[in-house]
Amino acid sequence: MRIVIAEDSAVVRAGLAEILADSGHQVLAAVGNAGDLLAAVDEHRPDAAVVDVRMPPGYTDEGLRAAIAIRRDHPATGVLVFSQYIETRYAADLLGAAPGGGAAGVGYLLKDRVGDVDEFVEALSRVAAGGTALDPEVVTQLLRASRRDTGLGSLTARERDVLALMAEGRSNGAIAATLVISERAVEKYIASIFSKFGLAPSDSDHRRVLAVLRYLHP
């Protein structure tokens, strides 16, 4: 996996580079600001970019806005936002930024909630391969922020639970294990969610995340 890292802390940046190199991946560039991130992605066309939210010069949302630009301009590059902050507004924009509005190849993890190195590397690999990796707290805040506009009330409480786990990139089996229900029950809940959102069957698996996007981009 070919990776670009954008992190304003030199210590964290070096640590991420070492972790990924030790895991057998190639770090093409490790930069400290959003401008250098965009230049590195333009130059190297990596499989994935790891991006912090708050970077120079303003330390507000420069990294997340750069991540949105990468999603829009380089849809083949997976983007994993790795931060201690949740920016609800821009997180929603991040999910819908790729051409066609799909949410493939995107992740948003909170630094203090990643349990170990293997978990981080697995999530980044999943994003680079076109999957999703969303922290449950990110999903919760996105759904809460958008509830007033999106008809969330049309879903049952159990359907909302299933939807949140879907958005994290969980398989049906993992959802079933988490909620202590059968996989068949999970399939029925998912079918009901798709039906309520008018998501017709297609050749793409991204209906699972598009269900979340229907909340975020009504």
Side-chain angles (χ1 to χ4, degrees):
M1 185 165 51
R2 303 165 64 253
I3 303 162
V4 166
I5 298 169
E7 164 65 55
D8 70 285
S9 168
V11 173
V12 175
R13 189 165 66 242
L16 286 173
E18 182 176 358
I19 286 170
L20 292 169
D22 288 347
S23 299
H25 303 295
Q26 182 182 6
V27 178
L28 304 171
V31 302
N33 62 72
D36 288 346
L37 165 63
L38 294 174
V41 171
D42 284 340
E43 177 182 355
H44 297 292
R45 305 298 174 95
D47 300 312
V50 180
V51 184
D52 195 6
V53 169
R54 299 182 180 180
M55 291 195 293
Y59 292 96
T60 54
D61 52 26
E62 290 87 352
L64 193 48
R65 286 189 284 114
I68 292 169
I70 293 168
R71 290 266 296 148
R72 182 186 64 239
D73 300 335
H74 301 281
T77 296
V79 175
L80 176 61
V81 174
F82 189 51
S83 180
Q84 58 186 316
Y85 307 104
I86 302 176
E87 294 287 348
T88 304
R89 171 189 168 195
Y90 287 112
D93 292 341
L94 176 70
L95 291 173
V106 64
Y108 198 135
L109 299 181
L110 300 179
K111 290 178 179 177
D112 60 355
R113 288 168 56 90
V114 174
D116 55 44
V117 169
D118 290 342
E119 179 184 349
F120 171 77
V121 174
E122 191 279 330
L124 182 58
S125 298
R126 188 161 73 245
V127 167
T132 58
L134 300 179
D135 185 277
E137 183 60 25
V138 174
V139 175
T140 297
Q141 292 203 26
L142 288 173
L143 294 179
R144 183 181 299 128
S146 60
R147 181 172 301 181
R148 65 185 180 275
D149 298 322
T150 58
L152 184 61
S154 67
L155 299 184
T156 66
R158 181 60 65 163
E159 287 168 349
R160 290 196 296 271
D161 292 339
V162 170
L163 177 58
L165 293 169
M166 286 164 54
E168 292 171 35
R170 304 288 188 93
S171 67
N172 287 5
I175 294 173
T178 300
L179 299 179
V180 194
I181 57 178
S182 69
E183 286 194 48
R184 179 59 179 163
V186 172
E187 292 171 359
K188 288 182 178 179
Y189 286 126
I190 292 174
S192 177
I193 291 168
F194 290 161
S195 176
K196 289 179 179 179
F197 292 156
L199 295 173
S202 69
D203 294 332
S204 170
D205 290 333
H206 303 325
R207 283 197 305 167
R208 299 173 73 89
V209 182
L210 285 174
V212 175
L213 291 178
R214 285 300 175 97
Y215 288 125
L216 306 178
H217 299 278

